[in-house]
């Protein structure tokens, strides 16, 4: 047909329906579940606009709407026959016949199905995404809304529910529209699950299973963080108000059906919804949450009489100026299993944030370290390496990564080492050409590709990377005739549009690049590139080309990380802290095969107790002082010397993530990296 497959792939839009690790993890799980032959559905929202496209204009991030459906989506199939009503607002009536939620506003949930094929096993699962539609009579019942035209225009209000993804990662923004989205996906999904459970056989619409007591034997609902926490009160509402089960029977079913994955310990990321918002939007659910809490606190009182502080700490309702519902507490109480996403993270949640709940129900808590699908993150994005591996150990590793252990037989095999190195070099040449075409920068493909790609966030410490870049730059300037290991340092990732510090970090990176990349003394020994609009399709290009993977979060802040695994699977070495899954990766690969540096979790805690004093590091370490003085003095922003004053002030006086405390060890560790690359 005269079509080029690679060109076609480049034309297809990413379905950017998540923010970062959380959404990408869900996609990897769907692939793995289909490949393992597990009958599983992935439910979510069919956002009209996904995560924004990032443009860099004069060094600043500018957001553009991601109109990914503009030309249609060939992989999805609308399923109007499974459309479901979702209710909002209204009021609650307690009658002799039971509880009624009345006078609600209705929004229809229209499902779109996308097939999820397993790897060469003839199994196809389904991802079902819900789109919001206004009912035909929306607003037309009200004659006082300003007439027919206005009523039709107001349909947009209902359909806005699935319009746009909130672009925050690891940050909670308590907006009504966001709560509507969370309830919308949950209410539609639970109706769908119960419809399927009640139907006698596949494709049937006739209800034959009317007893819901066996629901937990047939259905498991995994809550991917607290965003779908409303599944717990919603399932209670269905069982008690609509199926007329007793509270006790309903609660037993809910707890045995639901399980909760916690994805973060950052306090600003934990969802706490104002009670007033619930009272207005979901009045019946508020009553149910109050009753769940009453029984929960009654149980604690029996076990810990007189311990009022424990009641306050463990309540689902946080008292204060504004009463709030703690969604993580709701998830723990309403689930039979709670997991963290890496061993160290699971330990942190039982020892700190959820310690009281662990003391109450230790059997609930477990660990499930995150993973990645080797189909996308090796076979598809790095066919050269996949082939080299398959030539030595066969193709079974694609289904079972444990088989990569067989490669240990080849560690001293010259031809294997040569083949792997050749593939890496080809990937680097290809990516260098991509950069030259898209960024108009010429880079040295023989330089070390040092890559940090992830959301821009203070805890991920892109600023620590910046300080290393400046230090390296200063050293090259000081001794230009010394033989330096050439590096191309690439940093990419999106900043949430309202996160001022993260946007300043991007501006700092681009400004450092402008100075270094145009300094003739440095030449091609050091280049700094900000990778614009980091997304899955760009990850698939940069990860196979990377030599060094930067995983440098403050110990105890990155729940797991999954990019770390993708780089390692593609033959990059890791420089990182003992955080998240890095800990287990170091255990598996041998700590001597990673560049581990910096404080451990215990060190961070000790420093917190003692008090972190950034200024003392600044005064003690000359190269750190020089780098900070250059940032604050305008060396990287000659036209605006005080451009980065907020960043400097943060690093010097209120840095929660202790960048300076790990600076010295990081620089030393990077020296080891350079020395090894040279050899």
């Amino acid at each position: 047909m005269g079509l080029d497959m690679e060109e076609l792939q480049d034309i297809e839009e990413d379905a950017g329906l998540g923010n970062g690790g959380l959404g990408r993890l869900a996609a990897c799980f769907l692939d793995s579940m289909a490949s393992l032959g597990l009958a599983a559905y992935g439910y979510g929202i069919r956002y009209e606009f996904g995560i924004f496209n990032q443009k860099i204009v004069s060094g600043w991030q500018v957001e553009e709407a991601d109109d990914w459906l503009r030309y249609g989506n060939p992989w999805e199939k609308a399923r109007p026959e499974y459309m479901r009503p979702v209710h909002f607002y209204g009021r609650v009536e307690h009658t002799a016949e039971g509880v009624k939620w009345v006078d609600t506003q209705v929004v229809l949930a229209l499902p779109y199905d996308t097939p999820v094929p397993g790897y060469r096993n003839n199994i196809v699962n389904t991802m079902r995404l819900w789109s919001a539609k206004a009912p035909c009579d929306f607003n037309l019942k009200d004659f006082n809304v300003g007439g027919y035209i206005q009523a039709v225009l107001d349909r947009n209000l209902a359909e806005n529910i699935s319009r746009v993804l909130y672009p925050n990662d690891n940050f909670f923004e308590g907006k009504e529209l966001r709560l509507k989205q969370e309830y919308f996906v949950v209410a539609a999904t639970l109706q769908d699950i119960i419809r399927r459970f009640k139907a006698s056989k596949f494709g049937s619409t006739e209800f034959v299973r009317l007893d819901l007591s066996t629901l937990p034997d047939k259905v498991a609902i995994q809550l991917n963080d607290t965003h779908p926490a409303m599944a717990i009160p919603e399932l209670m509402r269905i069982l008690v108000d609509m199926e007329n089960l007793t509270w006790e029977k309903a609660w037993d079913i809910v707890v045995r059906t639901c399980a909760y994955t916690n994805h973060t310990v950052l306090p600003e990321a934990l969802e706490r919804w104002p009670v007033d918002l619930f009272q207005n939007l979901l009045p019946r659910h508020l009553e149910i949450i109050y009753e769940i809490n009453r029984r929960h606190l009654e149980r604690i009182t029996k076990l810990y009489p007189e311990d009022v502080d424990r009641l306050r700490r463990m309540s689902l309702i946080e008292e204060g100026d504004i009463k709030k519902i703690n969604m993580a507490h709701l998830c723990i109480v309403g689930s039979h299993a709670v997991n963290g996403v890496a061993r160290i993270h699971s330990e942190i949640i039982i020892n700190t944030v959820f310690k009281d709940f662990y003391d109450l129900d230790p059997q609930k808590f477990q660990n499930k370290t995150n993973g990645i699908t080797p189909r996308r993150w090796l076979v598809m994005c790095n066919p050269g390496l996949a082939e080299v591996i398959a030539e030595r150990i066969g193709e079974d590793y694609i289904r079972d990564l444990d088989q990569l252990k067989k490669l240990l037989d080849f560690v001293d095999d010259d031809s294997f080492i040569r083949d792997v190195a050749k593939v890496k070099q080809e990937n680097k040449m290809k990516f260098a050409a991509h950069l030259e075409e898209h960024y108009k920068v010429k880079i040295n493909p023989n330089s070390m590709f040092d890559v940090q790609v992830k959301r821009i966030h203070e805890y991920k410490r892109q600023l620590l990377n910046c300080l290393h870049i400046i230090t390296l730059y200063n050293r090259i300037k000081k001794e230009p005739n010394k033989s330096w290991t050439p590096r191309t340092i690439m940093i990419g990732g999106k900043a949430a549009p309202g996160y001022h510090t993260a946007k300043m970090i991007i501006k700092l990176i681009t400004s450092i690049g402008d100075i270094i990349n145009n300094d003739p003394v440095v030449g091609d020994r050091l280049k700094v590139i900000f990778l614009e609009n980091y997304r899955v399709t760009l990850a698939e290009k940069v990860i196979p080309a990377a030599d060094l993977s930067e995983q440098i979060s403050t110990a105890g802040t990155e729940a797991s990380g999954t990019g770390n695994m993708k780089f390692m699977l593609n033959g990059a070495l890791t420089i990182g802290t003992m955080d998240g899954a890095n800990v287990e990766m170091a255990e598996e690969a041998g700590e001597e095969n990673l560049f581990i540096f910096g404080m451990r979790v215990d060190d961070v805690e000790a420093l917190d107790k003692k008090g972190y004093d950034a200024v003392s590091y600044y005064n003690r370490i000359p190269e750190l002082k020089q780098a900070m003085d250059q940032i604050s003095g305008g060396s990287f922003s000659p036209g605006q010397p005080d451009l980065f004053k907020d960043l400097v002030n943060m690093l010097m006086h209120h840095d929660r993530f202790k960048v300076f405390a790990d600076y010295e060890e990081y620089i030393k560790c990077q020296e080891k990296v350079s020395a090894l690359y040279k050899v």
Side-chain angles (χ1 to χ4, degrees):
M1 289 166 71
L3 295 171
D4 174 24
M5 193 63 187
E6 283 204 15
E7 205 179 323
L8 282 179
Q9 281 175 332
D10 285 342
I11 291 168
E12 186 179 4
E13 301 264 5
D14 285 38
L17 300 183
N19 268 295
L22 197 80
R24 184 54 247 174
L25 180 74
C28 283
F29 269 137
L30 290 184
D31 176 272
S32 288
M33 289 188 295
S35 295
L36 290 167
L38 301 174
Y41 288 74
Y43 280 100
I45 294 175
R46 181 180 175 270
Y47 295 108
E48 202 174 308
F49 297 94
I51 186 69
F52 60 87
N53 283 316
Q54 179 192 58
K55 288 272 184 286
I56 301 296
V57 179
S58 310
W60 297 93
Q61 168 176 296
V62 176
E63 300 86 23
E64 249 177 29
D66 165 42
D67 193 3
W68 72 290
L69 292 169
R70 187 173 41 230
Y71 302 118
N73 172 10
W75 304 111
E76 69 181 9
K77 169 88 177 76
R79 304 299 299 271
E81 66 273 31
Y82 295 124
M83 187 135 66
R84 290 287 170 263
V86 176
H87 298 262
F88 294 102
Y89 304 109
R91 56 191 173 80
V92 182
E93 283 181 356
H94 291 262
T95 69
E97 293 83 63
V99 183
K100 304 261 188 295
W101 181 19
V102 297
D103 297 340
T104 56
Q105 288 184 22
V106 176
V107 177
L108 300 176
L110 171 64
Y112 285 78
D113 287 358
T114 298
V116 180
Y119 182 70
R120 297 188 180 174
N121 62 358
N122 283 315
I123 288 171
V124 180
N125 284 343
T126 300
M127 174 175 70
R128 178 161 285 179
L129 301 179
W130 300 101
S131 187
K133 292 287 284 178
C136 292
D137 61 358
F138 186 79
N139 269 5
L140 287 168
K141 307 178 287 298
D142 286 335
F143 286 111
N144 58 354
V145 292
Y148 162 73
I149 296 290
Q150 195 53 48
V152 174
L153 296 181
D154 284 347
R155 292 169 60 86
N156 270 331
L157 299 173
E159 296 175 359
N160 275 339
I161 290 173
S162 57
R163 196 79 67 203
V164 59
L165 169 75
Y166 275 84
N168 302 313
D169 190 71
N170 273 294
F171 184 80
F172 170 60
E173 186 176 1
K175 294 281 195 286
E176 183 182 50
L177 179 59
R178 172 66 182 187
L179 183 56
K180 276 186 175 169
Q181 290 179 341
E182 292 187 359
Y183 178 64
F184 173 76
V185 68
V186 152
T189 298
L190 281 171
Q191 289 181 71
D192 204 45
I193 287 171
I194 288 167
R195 170 193 59 75
R196 205 178 319 112
F197 173 80
K198 285 182 172 181
S200 56
K201 54 184 182 289
F202 184 76
S204 164
T205 52
E206 195 185 329
F207 286 173
V208 294
R209 247 203 227 110
L210 297 173
D211 176 13
L212 284 167
S213 61
T214 59
L215 186 75
D217 303 330
K218 299 290 181 187
V219 173
I221 296 172
Q222 192 69 37
L223 306 173
N224 194 26
D225 212 344
T226 57
H227 312 145
M230 289 304 297
I232 292 165
E234 172 64 5
L235 187 51
M236 279 304 283
R237 186 186 71 81
I238 293 168
L239 296 175
V240 173
D241 295 359
M242 298 167 78
E243 300 288 338
N244 298 311
L245 270 64
T246 65
W247 182 278
E248 291 72 18
K249 181 72 194 155
W251 185 245
D252 175 65
I253 291 170
V254 168
V255 172
R256 289 196 298 130
T257 302
C258 295
Y260 160 55
T261 302
N262 171 273
H263 286 274
T264 184
V265 292
L266 293 182
E268 63 268 35
L270 297 177
E271 294 196 293
R272 298 174 163 97
W273 288 104
V275 163
D276 293 349
L277 201 55
F278 261 81
Q279 184 66 65
N280 183 36
L281 190 69
L282 300 165
R284 178 56 181 147
H285 297 78
L286 182 60
E287 289 184 350
I288 290 168
I289 290 168
Y290 276 150
E291 180 60 16
I292 293 170
N293 196 40
R294 187 187 69 76
R295 290 168 181 247
H296 165 60
L297 294 181
E298 204 171 78
R299 181 183 169 212
I300 297 164
T301 305
K302 278 190 187 132
L303 289 165
Y304 303 94
E306 314 298 305
D307 195 343
V308 182
D309 199 52
R310 185 180 295 263
L311 286 178
R312 181 192 56 74
R313 292 195 310 265
M314 295 184 75
S315 176
L316 309 190
I317 313 295
E318 296 180 354
E319 305 292 340
D321 296 345
I322 302 172
K323 276 174 79 164
K324 290 180 177 173
I325 302 169
N326 184 312
M327 302 306 269
H329 290 184
L330 174 62
C331 285
I332 295 168
V333 172
S335 297
H336 65 275
V338 177
N339 72 284
V341 289
R343 191 178 63 211
I344 189 174
H345 167 61
S346 296
E347 287 166 5
I348 287 168
I349 67 177
I350 67 175
N351 291 326
T352 60
V353 267
F354 304 144
K355 183 181 189 305
D356 292 325
F357 292 91
Y358 176 75
D359 293 343
L360 186 67
D361 287 309
Q363 76 292 340
K364 277 190 183 183
F365 289 80
Q366 43 164 299
N367 174 246
K368 290 286 173 285
T369 300
N370 284 162
I372 56 173
T373 168
R375 270 75 58 182
R376 178 169 301 273
W377 296 113
L378 177 57
V379 180
M380 208 193 91
C381 71
N382 199 345
L385 182 58
E387 183 55 36
V388 167
I389 295 168
E391 281 169 7
R392 304 315 197 279
I393 65 169
E395 288 189 358
D396 288 355
Y397 77 91
I398 296 169
R399 275 195 189 80
D400 173 19
L401 272 191
D402 282 343
Q403 298 204 17
L404 288 180
K405 287 200 174 84
K406 292 179 182 173
L407 290 176
L408 288 170
D409 296 342
F410 299 90
V411 283
D412 298 316
D413 182 316
D414 286 345
S415 79
F416 178 65
I417 293 163
R418 210 169 31 249
D419 287 351
V420 169
K422 180 167 171 272
V423 168
K424 179 63 75 179
Q425 200 51 41
E426 284 166 359
N427 291 337
K428 288 175 72 174
M429 301 284 281
K430 198 169 173 185
F431 193 63
H434 173 81
L435 285 182
E436 209 174 320
E437 188 187 337
H438 290 89
Y439 299 88
K440 310 293 173 247
V441 258
K442 209 167 165 39
I443 60 163
N444 172 7
N446 297 314
S447 65
M448 183 201 310
F449 284 15
D450 172 347
V451 185
Q452 185 178 24
V453 283
K454 50 186 75 244
R455 288 297 290 254
I456 309 294
H457 201 295
E458 287 162 80
Y459 88 84
K460 294 178 185 282
R461 299 203 296 190
Q462 283 91 356
L463 286 170
L464 183 57
N465 196 343
C466 288
L467 290 174
H468 171 248
I469 295 170
I470 297 170
T471 303
L472 193 52
Y473 175 58
N474 289 335
R475 288 180 177 185
I476 294 170
K477 293 280 281 184
K478 194 175 167 192
E479 300 183 81
N481 298 321
K482 198 174 153 186
S483 166
W484 298 96
T485 303
R487 284 198 194 218
T488 301
I489 300 174
M490 307 177 211
I491 304 177
K494 292 173 184 176
Y499 188 176
H500 172 251
T501 303
K503 290 185 132 176
M504 287 308 301
I505 291 169
I506 291 175
K507 178 58 175 170
L508 178 63
I509 297 162
T510 56
S511 301
I512 292 169
D514 287 342
I515 298 296
I516 294 178
N517 299 345
N518 294 301
D519 190 327
V521 176
V522 175
D524 65 0
R525 293 180 290 187
L526 181 60
K527 290 275 183 247
V528 180
I529 290 161
F530 187 85
L531 297 173
E532 183 178 82
N533 203 30
Y534 181 63
R535 60 202 187 284
V536 172
T537 44
L538 186 55
E540 289 167 352
K541 293 183 172 77
V542 68
I543 292 171
D547 293 306
L548 185 68
S549 158
E550 300 265 358
Q551 309 297 336
I552 59 179
S553 53
T554 312
T557 63
E558 187 73 88
S560 168
T562 46
N564 46 6
M565 305 173 196
K566 292 162 193 169
F567 280 102
M568 183 171 258
L569 189 58
N570 283 275
L573 294 185
T574 300
I575 183 166
T577 49
M578 276 298 200
D579 197 22
N582 295 358
V583 178
E584 290 156 88
M585 285 164 54
E587 214 169 85
E588 286 291 322
E591 206 175 314
E592 69 282 3
N593 293 311
L594 282 82
F595 297 98
I596 297 291
F597 73 94
M599 297 179 288
R600 310 305 205 244
V601 169
D602 294 347
D603 303 319
V604 175
E605 279 173 17
L607 189 52
D608 275 327
K609 279 204 182 80
K610 179 183 141 197
Y612 168 64
D613 175 17
V615 177
S616 66
Y617 294 92
Y618 168 85
N619 288 327
R620 185 171 60 75
I621 308 164
E623 285 187 303
L624 172 60
K625 182 177 192 301
Q626 182 188 5
M628 288 302 296
D629 290 350
Q630 285 167 296
I631 296 170
S632 60
S635 298
F636 301 105
S637 51
Q640 269 177 283
D642 64 348
L643 180 60
F644 300 114
K645 67 173 191 303
D646 290 354
L647 284 184
V648 171
N649 183 48
M650 182 275 289
L651 284 170
M652 298 291 279
H653 303 295
H654 32 89
D655 174 12
R656 294 163 56 204
F657 303 104
K658 307 175 178 65
V659 169
F660 293 0
D662 277 340
Y663 168 83
E664 261 183 311
E665 269 204 53
Y666 181 54
I667 300 295
K668 286 202 183 86
C669 201
Q670 287 282 21
E671 290 168 13
K672 284 190 209 159
V673 173
S674 288
L676 188 68
Y677 188 81
K678 214 177 211 167
V679 175

